[in-house]
Amino acid sequence: MSAGAHDFHQKVITDAGAAVRGLTVALGERLGLYKALAESGPLTAEQLAGKTGTNPRYIEEWLHAQLSAGYVERHPSSLTYTLPADHVEVLADPKAVTFAAGFFTALKALYATEDLLVEAYRTGDGVGWAEHDAALDTGMGSFFQPTYEHKLVPDWLPSLHQVTDKLRGGGTVADVGCGVGHTTLLIAKAFPEATVHGFDYSEEAISIARQLAEEAGLSHRVVFEVASADDYPGTGYDLVCFFNALHDMGDPVAAAQHVHKSLDADGTWMLVESNVSPADIDTNTPAARMFMALSAVMCLPVAVAQRGPHALGNHSGEKAFRAIAEEAGFTRWRRATETPVNAVYEVRP
């Protein structure tokens, strides 16, 4: 075996380990293991099992996996484990902007579609969002939610021309492709005078969104409806939002045209998309690697399943999105702000 082959083999084995480890992270998130370690550590396997209502032998094995990954630390003299302080905000604090553990719960849905993806790759057909387990809605929602909670109201909306003033004065909002409604509810909480609608073509996602609105005490003024991006109801909206959704649509031009028709003449389309482009395919950053992989197994198949004229993938880039907006009749385009993961565009008639 050549040195190059050996190094590449080790890289693939590392990736294989990461793929399997993702399931252990999902278990840690769902069972509250990270949270218990963060709140009560250091703990033995027996103590952690007791605090989480789990089986000690399984927890011992799970802790070994976390230790080998460098996620937890072990204190040999006491056989206890701790979650390092720097890891708490990533694995145990859903309110932290760096929280990432929630994403791994989506693996249940993504891995379960392997047979469908094999067939799609052979035939050119798609794999629709509704063909995935509901864990995809909750997992992907959990992945983006921390960024939305920290950026949407304090940074992204103020970066748009006069939008916050309109919402404070009782403006109207359509959150299209809202998923389980995290962004919809954030806007509603921040602007109590605004009228807020959330639309998504997934009945499962809308059902979860309605439940979350009820739990938040907002169901009386936030309306969630099943509708697609090119036929959602209403006109004269002051703000229409697409959060990481346009690239999943089979006919993004038709969606953009409907936004144009549904907006007030002085309204704003806030288009939030992945902050990657075709030029980033060779980029070795963690965000770029994740987006490229997700596009191949989720974003592109979902778009193809809608049998529209375009299937963008999640790294089409600003040039492609701007061309779609211009084809739909928009005349003003501005990159309002960005994060390492998201680009926020202000699009106006």
Side-chain angles (χ1 to χ4, degrees):
M1 180 185 297
S2 68
H6 174 270
D7 291 345
F8 181 66
H9 177 257
Q10 292 304 297
K11 173 179 170 56
V12 172
I13 294 300
T14 298
D15 289 348
V20 178
R21 186 180 306 119
L23 181 55
T24 74
V25 178
L27 291 171
E29 162 67 6
R30 294 181 64 183
L31 294 170
L33 302 175
Y34 294 121
K35 182 179 179 181
L37 282 170
E39 293 176 347
S40 305
L43 296 171
T44 65
E46 189 85 27
Q47 290 168 334
L48 180 56
K51 287 185 175 294
T52 55
T54 51
N55 179 273
R57 181 64 186 90
Y58 275 104
I59 295 306
E60 180 183 34
E61 207 75 359
W62 181 84
L63 284 166
H64 291 171
Q66 302 305 293
L67 182 65
S68 71
Y71 286 11
V72 303
E73 293 177 349
R74 181 171 61 182
H75 309 277
S77 61
S78 59
L79 295 180
T80 58
Y81 297 80
T82 58
L83 189 64
D86 289 342
H87 299 190
V88 170
E89 293 183 358
V90 180
L91 296 173
D93 183 3
K95 297 297 183 182
V97 69
T98 52
F99 181 70
F103 167 81
F104 294 89
T105 61
L107 295 179
K108 172 184 177 181
L110 293 175
Y111 276 96
T113 61
E114 180 182 341
D115 290 344
L116 297 176
L117 285 168
V118 168
E119 188 65 17
Y121 269 64
R122 286 175 173 155
T123 64
D125 289 336
V127 179
W129 193 275
E131 296 181 79
H132 293 86
D133 186 272
L136 190 62
D137 286 309
T138 54
M140 295 307 298
S142 177
F143 175 63
F144 288 113
Q145 184 181 0
T147 298
Y148 296 154
E149 287 189 351
H150 285 264
K151 296 294 184 180
L152 174 56
V153 172
D155 295 337
W156 293 357
L157 289 174
S159 74
L160 306 175
H161 182 66
Q162 294 184 339
V163 164
T164 54
D165 291 339
K166 292 179 182 178
L167 298 186
R168 290 191 190 98
T172 56
V173 181
D175 186 2
V176 181
C178 67
V180 297
H182 290 314
T183 48
T184 324
L185 297 177
L186 284 171
I187 294 171
K189 289 176 185 176
F191 301 96
E193 300 302 318
T195 301
V196 186
H197 299 262
F199 303 109
D200 199 282
Y201 79 123
S202 168
E203 293 184 9
E204 183 71 33
I206 289 298
S207 177
I208 296 171
R210 287 170 176 163
Q211 181 180 345
L212 292 175
E214 186 73 29
E215 293 172 358
L218 293 170
S219 57
H220 64 291
R221 63 183 188 87
V222 180
V223 178
F224 286 106
E225 297 182 57
V226 177
S228 65
D230 57 4
D231 70 356
Y232 62 86
T235 57
Y237 289 108
D238 294 297
L239 176 67
V240 174
C241 309
F242 279 43
F243 294 96
N244 292 289
L246 186 66
H247 67 255
D248 287 333
M249 298 174 184
D251 194 346
V253 173
Q257 289 171 336
H258 192 68
V259 174
H260 193 278
K261 288 189 294 184
S262 72
L263 273 176
D264 180 77
D266 192 39
T268 299
W269 179 19
M270 181 168 70
L271 178 61
V272 179
E273 275 293 340
S274 310
N275 197 7
V276 288
S277 72
D280 295 312
I281 293 173
D282 298 325
T283 301
N284 201 31
T285 65
R289 290 198 302 269
M290 171 177 275
F291 280 126
M292 302 304 161
L294 279 175
S295 199
V297 302
M298 184 184 73
C299 302
L300 179 63
V302 164
V304 171
Q306 296 169 54
R307 301 184 181 280
H310 295 282
L312 293 172
N314 66 19
H315 52 283
S316 302
E318 180 173 355
K319 183 178 179 180
F321 294 127
R322 182 169 185 169
I324 288 168
E326 290 175 350
E327 185 175 348
F330 288 93
T331 62
R332 288 173 284 180
W333 176 278
R334 182 172 69 92
R335 180 184 282 247
T337 188
E338 64 183 331
T339 72
V341 173
N342 290 120
V344 180
Y345 304 110
E346 178 185 80
V347 193
R348 303 182 69 193

Coordinates of all heavy atoms in Angstrom, one line a residue, residues 54-122:
T54 N -32.0 5.5 32.3 CA -31.5 4.6 31.2 C -30.7 3.5 31.8 O -30.5 3.4 33.1 CB -30.5 5.4 30.3 OG1 -29.5 6.1 31.1 CG2 -31.3 6.4 29.5
N55 N -30.3 2.6 31.0 CA -29.6 1.3 31.5 C -28.1 1.6 31.7 O -27.4 2.1 30.7 CB -29.8 0.2 30.4 CG -29.1 -1.1 30.8 OD1 -28.0 -1.2 30.5 ND2 -29.9 -1.9 31.5
P56 N -27.6 1.3 32.8 CA -26.1 1.6 33.1 C -25.2 1.0 32.1 O -24.2 1.6 31.8 CB -25.9 1.1 34.5 CG -27.3 1.1 35.1 CD -28.2 0.7 34.0
R57 N -25.4 -0.3 31.7 CA -24.5 -0.9 30.8 C -24.4 -0.2 29.5 O -23.3 0.0 28.9 CB -24.8 -2.4 30.6 CG -23.9 -3.2 29.7 CD -22.5 -3.2 30.3 NE -21.5 -3.8 29.4 CZ -20.8 -3.1 28.5 NH1 -20.9 -1.8 28.4 NH2 -20.0 -3.7 27.7
Y58 N -25.6 0.2 29.0 CA -25.6 0.9 27.7 C -24.9 2.3 27.9 O -24.2 2.7 27.0 CB -27.0 1.1 27.2 CG -27.6 0.0 26.4 CD1 -28.5 -0.9 27.0 CD2 -27.2 -0.2 25.1 CE1 -29.0 -2.0 26.2 CE2 -27.7 -1.3 24.3 CZ -28.6 -2.2 24.9 OH -29.0 -3.2 24.2
I59 N -25.1 2.9 29.0 CA -24.6 4.3 29.2 C -23.0 4.1 29.3 O -22.3 5.0 28.9 CB -25.1 4.9 30.5 CG1 -26.6 5.2 30.3 CG2 -24.4 6.2 30.8 CD1 -27.0 6.0 29.1
E60 N -22.5 3.1 29.9 CA -21.1 2.9 30.0 C -20.5 2.8 28.6 O -19.5 3.4 28.3 CB -20.8 1.6 30.8 CG -19.3 1.3 30.9 CD -19.0 0.0 31.6 OE1 -19.8 -1.0 31.4 OE2 -18.0 -0.1 32.3
E61 N -21.2 2.1 27.7 CA -20.7 1.9 26.3 C -20.8 3.3 25.6 O -19.9 3.6 24.8 CB -21.5 0.9 25.6 CG -20.8 0.2 24.5 CD -19.7 -0.8 25.0 OE1 -19.6 -1.0 26.2 OE2 -19.1 -1.5 24.1
W62 N -21.9 4.0 25.8 CA -22.0 5.3 25.2 C -20.9 6.3 25.6 O -20.4 7.0 24.8 CB -23.4 5.9 25.6 CG -23.7 7.2 24.9 CD1 -24.2 7.5 23.7 CD2 -23.5 8.5 25.6 NE1 -24.3 8.8 23.5 CE2 -23.9 9.5 24.6 CE3 -23.1 8.9 26.8 CZ2 -23.9 10.8 24.9 CZ3 -23.0 10.3 27.1 CH2 -23.4 11.2 26.2
L63 N -20.6 6.2 26.9 CA -19.6 7.1 27.4 C -18.2 6.7 26.8 O -17.4 7.6 26.5 CB -19.5 7.0 28.9 CG -20.6 7.8 29.7 CD1 -20.7 7.3 31.2 CD2 -20.4 9.3 29.6
H64 N -18.0 5.5 26.6 CA -16.7 5.1 25.9 C -16.6 5.7 24.5 O -15.6 6.1 24.1 CB -16.6 3.5 25.9 CG -16.4 2.9 27.2 ND1 -16.5 1.5 27.4 CD2 -16.2 3.4 28.4 CE1 -16.3 1.2 28.7 NE2 -16.1 2.4 29.3
A65 N -17.8 5.6 23.8 CA -17.8 6.2 22.5 C -17.6 7.7 22.5 O -16.8 8.3 21.7 CB -19.1 5.9 21.8
Q66 N -18.1 8.4 23.5 CA -17.9 9.8 23.6 C -16.5 10.2 24.0 O -15.9 11.2 23.6 CB -18.9 10.4 24.7 CG -20.4 10.1 24.4 CD -20.8 10.6 23.0 OE1 -20.8 11.8 22.7 NE2 -21.1 9.7 22.1
L67 N -15.9 9.3 24.9 CA -14.5 9.6 25.3 C -13.6 9.4 24.1 O -12.7 10.2 23.9 CB -14.2 8.6 26.4 CG -12.8 8.7 27.0 CD1 -12.6 10.0 27.7 CD2 -12.5 7.6 28.0
S68 N -13.8 8.3 23.3 CA -12.9 8.1 22.2 C -13.0 9.2 21.1 O -12.1 9.5 20.4 CB -13.2 6.8 21.5 OG -14.5 6.8 20.8
A69 N -14.2 9.9 21.1 CA -14.4 11.0 20.2 C -13.9 12.3 20.7 O -13.8 13.3 19.9 CB -15.9 11.1 19.9
G70 N -13.5 12.3 21.9 CA -13.0 13.6 22.5 C -14.2 14.5 22.9 O -14.0 15.7 23.2
Y71 N -15.4 13.9 23.1 CA -16.5 14.8 23.5 C -16.6 14.9 25.0 O -17.2 15.9 25.4 CB -17.8 14.1 22.9 CG -18.1 14.3 21.4 CD1 -17.0 14.8 20.6 CD2 -19.3 14.0 20.9 CE1 -17.3 14.9 19.2 CE2 -19.5 14.1 19.5 CZ -18.5 14.6 18.7 OH -18.7 14.7 17.3
V72 N -16.2 13.9 25.7 CA -16.3 13.9 27.2 C -14.9 13.6 27.7 O -14.0 13.2 27.0 CB -17.3 12.9 27.8 CG1 -18.7 13.2 27.2 CG2 -16.8 11.5 27.6
E73 N -14.7 13.9 29.0 CA -13.4 13.6 29.7 C -13.7 12.6 30.8 O -14.8 12.7 31.4 CB -12.8 14.9 30.2 CG -12.4 15.9 29.2 CD -11.8 17.2 29.8 OE1 -12.0 17.4 31.0 OE2 -11.2 18.0 29.0
R74 N -12.7 11.8 31.0 CA -12.8 10.8 32.1 C -11.8 11.0 33.2 O -10.7 11.4 32.9 CB -12.7 9.4 31.6 CG -12.8 8.3 32.6 CD -12.8 6.9 32.0 NE -11.6 6.6 31.3 CZ -11.4 5.4 30.6 NH1 -12.3 4.5 30.6 NH2 -10.2 5.2 30.0
H75 N -12.2 10.8 34.4 CA -11.3 11.0 35.6 C -11.1 9.6 36.1 O -11.9 9.0 36.9 CB -12.0 11.9 36.6 CG -12.5 13.2 36.0 ND1 -11.6 14.2 35.8 CD2 -13.7 13.6 35.5 CE1 -12.3 15.2 35.3 NE2 -13.5 14.8 35.1
P76 N -10.0 9.0 35.8 CA -9.7 7.5 36.1 C -9.8 7.2 37.5 O -10.3 6.1 37.9 CB -8.3 7.3 35.5 CG -8.1 8.3 34.5 CD -8.9 9.5 35.0
S77 N -9.4 8.1 38.4 CA -9.4 7.8 39.8 C -10.8 7.6 40.4 O -11.0 6.8 41.3 CB -8.6 8.9 40.6 OG -9.3 10.1 40.4
S78 N -11.8 8.2 39.8 CA -13.1 8.1 40.3 C -14.1 7.5 39.3 O -15.3 7.3 39.7 CB -13.7 9.5 40.7 OG -13.6 10.4 39.5
L79 N -13.6 7.1 38.1 CA -14.4 6.5 37.1 C -15.6 7.4 36.7 O -16.7 6.9 36.4 CB -14.9 5.1 37.5 CG -13.7 4.1 37.6 CD1 -14.4 2.7 38.0 CD2 -12.9 3.9 36.4
T80 N -15.4 8.7 36.8 CA -16.4 9.7 36.5 C -16.1 10.4 35.2 O -15.0 10.4 34.7 CB -16.6 10.7 37.6 OG1 -15.4 11.4 37.8 CG2 -17.1 10.1 38.9
Y81 N -17.2 10.9 34.6 CA -17.1 11.6 33.3 C -17.6 13.0 33.4 O -18.6 13.2 34.1 CB -17.8 10.8 32.2 CG -17.3 9.4 31.9 CD1 -17.6 8.4 32.8 CD2 -16.5 9.2 30.8 CE1 -17.2 7.1 32.5 CE2 -16.0 7.9 30.6 CZ -16.4 6.9 31.4 OH -15.9 5.6 31.2
T82 N -17.1 13.9 32.7 CA -17.6 15.3 32.6 C -17.7 15.7 31.2 O -17.0 15.2 30.3 CB -16.7 16.3 33.4 OG1 -15.3 16.2 32.8 CG2 -16.6 16.0 34.8
L83 N -18.6 16.7 30.9 CA -18.7 17.4 29.6 C -17.9 18.7 29.8 O -18.3 19.5 30.5 CB -20.1 17.6 29.3 CG -20.4 18.1 27.9 CD1 -20.0 17.1 26.8 CD2 -21.9 18.5 27.7
P84 N -16.8 18.8 29.1 CA -16.0 20.1 29.2 C -16.8 21.3 29.0 O -17.8 21.3 28.2 CB -14.9 19.9 28.1 CG -14.8 18.4 27.9 CD -16.2 17.9 28.1
A85 N -16.5 22.4 29.6 CA -17.3 23.6 29.5 C -17.4 24.1 28.1 O -18.5 24.6 27.7 CB -16.6 24.7 30.4
D86 N -16.3 24.0 27.3 CA -16.4 24.4 25.9 C -17.3 23.6 25.1 O -17.7 24.0 24.0 CB -15.0 24.4 25.3 CG -14.1 25.5 25.9 OD1 -14.6 26.4 26.5 OD2 -12.9 25.4 25.8
H87 N -17.7 22.4 25.5 CA -18.5 21.5 24.8 C -20.0 21.7 25.1 O -20.9 21.2 24.3 CB -18.1 20.0 25.0 CG -16.7 19.7 24.6 ND1 -16.2 18.5 24.5 CD2 -15.7 20.5 24.2 CE1 -14.9 18.5 24.1 NE2 -14.6 19.8 23.9
V88 N -20.3 22.3 26.2 CA -21.7 22.4 26.7 C -22.5 23.2 25.7 O -23.6 22.8 25.4 CB -21.7 23.1 28.1 CG1 -23.2 23.4 28.5 CG2 -21.1 22.2 29.1
E89 N -22.0 24.3 25.2 CA -22.8 25.1 24.3 C -23.0 24.4 22.9 O -23.9 24.8 22.2 CB -22.1 26.5 24.1 CG -22.1 27.3 25.3 CD -21.5 28.7 25.1 OE1 -21.0 28.9 23.9 OE2 -21.4 29.5 26.0
V90 N -22.3 23.4 22.6 CA -22.4 22.7 21.3 C -23.3 21.5 21.5 O -24.1 21.2 20.6 CB -21.0 22.3 20.8 CG1 -21.1 21.5 19.5 CG2 -20.1 23.5 20.7
L91 N -23.3 20.8 22.6 CA -24.0 19.6 22.8 C -25.1 19.6 23.8 O -26.0 18.7 23.7 CB -23.0 18.5 23.3 CG -21.9 18.1 22.3 CD1 -20.9 17.2 22.9 CD2 -22.5 17.5 21.0
A92 N -25.2 20.6 24.7 CA -26.1 20.5 25.8 C -27.0 21.8 26.0 O -27.9 21.7 26.8 CB -25.4 20.2 27.1
D93 N -26.7 22.8 25.2 CA -27.5 24.1 25.4 C -28.2 24.5 24.2 O -27.6 25.2 23.3 CB -26.5 25.2 25.9 CG -27.3 26.5 26.2 OD1 -28.5 26.5 26.1 OD2 -26.6 27.5 26.5
P94 N -29.5 24.1 24.0 CA -30.2 24.4 22.8 C -30.3 25.9 22.5 O -30.6 26.3 21.4 CB -31.6 23.8 23.0 CG -31.3 22.7 24.0 CD -30.3 23.3 24.9
K95 N -30.1 26.7 23.5 CA -30.2 28.2 23.3 C -28.9 28.8 22.8 O -28.9 30.0 22.4 CB -30.6 28.9 24.6 CG -32.0 28.4 25.1 CD -33.1 28.8 24.2 CE -34.5 28.5 24.7 NZ -35.5 28.8 23.8
A96 N -27.8 28.1 22.8 CA -26.5 28.6 22.4 C -26.5 28.7 20.9 O -27.0 27.8 20.2 CB -25.4 27.8 22.9
V97 N -25.8 29.7 20.3 CA -25.7 29.8 18.9 C -24.9 28.7 18.2 O -25.1 28.4 17.1 CB -25.2 31.2 18.5 CG1 -23.7 31.3 18.9 CG2 -25.4 31.5 17.0
T98 N -24.1 28.1 19.0 CA -23.2 27.0 18.5 C -23.8 25.6 18.7 O -23.2 24.6 18.4 CB -21.9 27.0 19.3 OG1 -22.1 27.1 20.7 CG2 -21.0 28.2 18.9
F99 N -25.1 25.5 19.2 CA -25.7 24.2 19.5 C -25.8 23.4 18.2 O -26.4 23.9 17.2 CB -27.0 24.4 20.2 CG -27.7 23.1 20.5 CD1 -27.3 22.3 21.5 CD2 -28.9 22.7 19.8 CE1 -27.9 21.1 21.8 CE2 -29.5 21.5 20.1 CZ -29.0 20.7 21.1
A100 N -25.3 22.2 18.2 CA -25.4 21.4 16.9 C -25.9 20.0 17.2 O -26.1 19.3 16.2 CB -23.9 21.3 16.3
A101 N -26.1 19.6 18.4 CA -26.5 18.2 18.6 C -27.8 17.9 18.0 O -28.1 16.7 17.6 CB -26.5 17.9 20.2
G102 N -28.7 18.8 17.9 CA -30.0 18.6 17.4 C -30.0 18.1 16.0 O -30.9 17.3 15.5
F103 N -29.0 18.5 15.2 CA -29.0 18.1 13.8 C -29.0 16.6 13.6 O -29.6 16.0 12.7 CB -27.7 18.7 13.1 CG -27.4 18.0 11.8 CD1 -28.1 18.4 10.6 CD2 -26.5 17.0 11.7 CE1 -27.9 17.8 9.4 CE2 -26.2 16.4 10.4 CZ -26.9 16.8 9.3
F104 N -28.3 15.9 14.5 CA -28.1 14.5 14.4 C -29.3 13.6 14.5 O -29.4 12.5 14.1 CB -27.0 14.0 15.4 CG -25.6 14.6 15.1 CD1 -25.2 15.8 15.6 CD2 -24.7 13.9 14.2 CE1 -24.0 16.3 15.3 CE2 -23.5 14.5 13.9 CZ -23.1 15.7 14.5
T105 N -30.4 14.2 15.1 CA -31.6 13.5 15.2 C -32.3 13.4 13.8 O -33.1 12.5 13.6 CB -32.6 14.2 16.1 OG1 -32.9 15.5 15.6 CG2 -32.1 14.3 17.5
A106 N -31.8 14.2 12.8 CA -32.3 14.0 11.4 C -31.7 12.8 10.7 O -32.2 12.4 9.6 CB -32.0 15.3 10.6
L107 N -30.6 12.3 11.2 CA -30.0 11.1 10.6 C -30.9 9.9 10.4 O -30.9 9.2 9.5 CB -28.7 10.7 11.3 CG -27.6 11.7 11.4 CD1 -26.4 11.1 12.2 CD2 -27.1 12.1 10.0
K108 N -31.8 9.8 11.4 CA -32.8 8.7 11.3 C -33.6 8.8 10.0 O -33.9 7.8 9.3 CB -33.8 8.9 12.5 CG -35.0 7.9 12.4 CD -35.9 8.2 13.6 CE -37.2 7.4 13.6 NZ -38.1 7.7 14.7
A109 N -34.0 10.0 9.6 CA -34.7 10.2 8.4 C -33.8 10.1 7.1 O -34.2 9.5 6.1 CB -35.4 11.6 8.4
L110 N -32.6 10.7 7.2 CA -31.8 10.7 6.0 C -31.2 9.3 5.7 O -31.3 8.8 4.5 CB -30.6 11.6 6.2 CG -31.0 13.1 6.3 CD1 -29.7 13.9 6.7 CD2 -31.5 13.6 5.0
Y111 N -30.8 8.5 6.7 CA -30.3 7.2 6.4 C -31.4 6.2 6.0 O -31.2 5.3 5.2 CB -29.6 6.6 7.6 CG -28.1 7.1 7.7 CD1 -27.8 8.2 8.5 CD2 -27.1 6.4 7.0 CE1 -26.4 8.6 8.6 CE2 -25.8 6.9 7.1 CZ -25.5 7.9 7.9 OH -24.2 8.4 7.9
A112 N -32.6 6.5 6.4 CA -33.7 5.6 6.1 C -34.1 5.7 4.6 O -34.8 4.8 4.1 CB -34.9 5.9 7.0
T113 N -33.7 6.7 3.9 CA -34.1 6.9 2.5 C -33.0 6.4 1.6 O -33.1 6.6 0.4 CB -34.3 8.4 2.2 OG1 -33.1 9.1 2.4 CG2 -35.4 9.0 3.0
E114 N -32.0 5.6 2.1 CA -30.9 5.1 1.2 C -31.5 4.4 0.0 O -31.0 4.6 -1.1 CB -30.0 4.2 2.0 CG -28.8 3.7 1.2 CD -27.9 2.8 2.0 OE1 -27.9 2.8 3.2 OE2 -27.2 2.0 1.3
D115 N -32.4 3.5 0.2 CA -32.9 2.7 -0.9 C -33.6 3.6 -1.9 O -33.5 3.4 -3.2 CB -33.9 1.6 -0.5 CG -33.2 0.5 0.3 OD1 -32.0 0.4 0.2 OD2 -33.9 -0.3 1.0
L116 N -34.4 4.6 -1.4 CA -35.0 5.5 -2.4 C -34.0 6.3 -3.1 O -34.2 6.6 -4.3 CB -35.9 6.5 -1.6 CG -37.1 5.8 -0.8 CD1 -37.9 6.9 0.0 CD2 -38.0 5.2 -1.8
L117 N -32.9 6.7 -2.5 CA -31.8 7.5 -3.1 C -31.1 6.7 -4.2 O -30.8 7.2 -5.3 CB -30.8 8.0 -2.1 CG -31.3 9.2 -1.2 CD1 -30.3 9.4 -0.1 CD2 -31.4 10.4 -2.1
V118 N -30.9 5.4 -3.9 CA -30.3 4.5 -4.9 C -31.1 4.5 -6.2 O -30.6 4.6 -7.3 CB -30.1 3.1 -4.4 CG1 -29.7 2.1 -5.5 CG2 -29.0 3.1 -3.3
E119 N -32.4 4.3 -6.0 CA -33.3 4.3 -7.2 C -33.4 5.7 -7.8 O -33.4 5.8 -9.1 CB -34.7 3.9 -6.7 CG -35.7 3.7 -7.8 CD -35.4 2.5 -8.7 OE1 -34.5 1.6 -8.2 OE2 -35.9 2.4 -9.8
A120 N -33.4 6.8 -7.1 CA -33.4 8.1 -7.7 C -32.1 8.4 -8.5 O -32.2 8.9 -9.6 CB -33.5 9.1 -6.5
Y121 N -31.0 8.0 -8.0 CA -29.8 8.2 -8.7 C -29.8 7.4 -10.0 O -29.1 7.8 -11.0 CB -28.6 7.7 -7.8 CG -28.0 8.9 -7.0 CD1 -28.7 9.5 -6.0 CD2 -26.7 9.3 -7.2 CE1 -28.2 10.5 -5.2 CE2 -26.2 10.4 -6.4 CZ -26.9 10.9 -5.5 OH -26.4 12.0 -4.7
R122 N -30.4 6.2 -10.0 CA -30.5 5.4 -11.3 C -31.5 6.0 -12.3 O -31.2 6.0 -13.5 CB -30.9 4.0 -10.9 CG -29.7 3.2 -10.3 CD -30.2 1.8 -9.8 NE -29.1 1.0 -9.4 CZ -29.2 0.0 -8.5 NH1 -30.4 -0.3 -8.0 NH2 -28.2 -0.7 -8.1

